[in-house]
Amino acid sequence: MATRSRIAIENQDGSVTSIYCHWDGYIKSNGVILNNNYNTTDKVNELIALGSLSSLYETIDRTISYHRNSGEDLVQTKYNNVEELFEDGFSSGVEYVYCFTKDGIWLVNALGSVNVDVLSEVIEEEGY
């Protein structure tokens, strides 16, 4: 069964661009991959440019994008700001929302949680 997630970046103007990822959205998988491998604005923008994903991997080349790898339409979802992302990001049936801020910090929120947490702190606390 899929664990769906939304992966986003906060743009310099405060708006947010996001993509859907179908598989392995939980923190011990996609969260760790994002934290360890997509930790600069350039890398995250390159990832977001792929559009919606089937699976996230440690490199762009291995990551499976519906647009690049299957010829489907490029799909990205825009939000006015980070707050709107975390309020509305779950409406597409995802269980985790990740956002790389313009300050270079990954944030995470899990479905049903009222807290938006710093991803690196969650990874450290959970021992992933």
Side-chain angles (χ1 to χ4, degrees):
M1 189 167 163
T3 304
R4 298 157 302 198
S5 60
R6 180 155 298 285
I7 302 168
I9 188 166
E10 179 184 22
N11 303 306
Q12 287 303 310
D13 66 0
S15 67
V16 173
T17 306
S18 75
I19 58 174
Y20 167 84
C21 184
H22 190 71
W23 294 106
D24 301 325
Y26 43 89
I27 294 169
K28 68 181 180 179
S29 183
N30 283 0
V32 170
I33 291 170
L34 291 168
N35 189 69
N36 294 346
N37 301 283
Y38 296 93
N39 46 25
T40 68
T41 299
D42 287 343
K43 286 183 180 181
V44 178
N45 275 325
E46 189 176 359
L47 179 65
I48 298 295
L50 292 175
S52 293
L53 307 176
S54 174
S55 298
L56 175 68
Y57 289 97
E58 290 80 5
T59 65
I60 291 291
D61 292 341
R62 290 196 58 221
T63 295
I64 301 170
S65 161
Y66 293 117
H67 176 68
R68 180 188 66 193
N69 299 98
S70 300
E72 296 182 24
D73 290 339
L74 178 67
V75 177
Q76 298 173 327
T77 303
K78 310 282 184 169
Y79 296 91
N80 291 319
N81 51 51
V82 173
E83 293 78 16
E84 184 178 283
L85 167 71
F86 285 113
E87 289 171 7
D88 298 337
F90 294 102
S91 64
S92 59
V94 302
E95 290 131 304
Y96 292 90
V97 174
Y98 298 96
C99 183
F100 192 75
T101 69
K102 58 185 173 183
D103 296 324
I105 299 168
W106 276 109
L107 302 176
V108 62
N109 186 239
L111 182 64
S113 174
V114 295
N115 297 325
V116 174
D117 297 304
V118 175
L119 178 59
S120 62
E121 293 174 3
V122 174
I123 290 169
E124 184 175 330
E125 288 170 10
E126 297 295 324
Y128 297 133

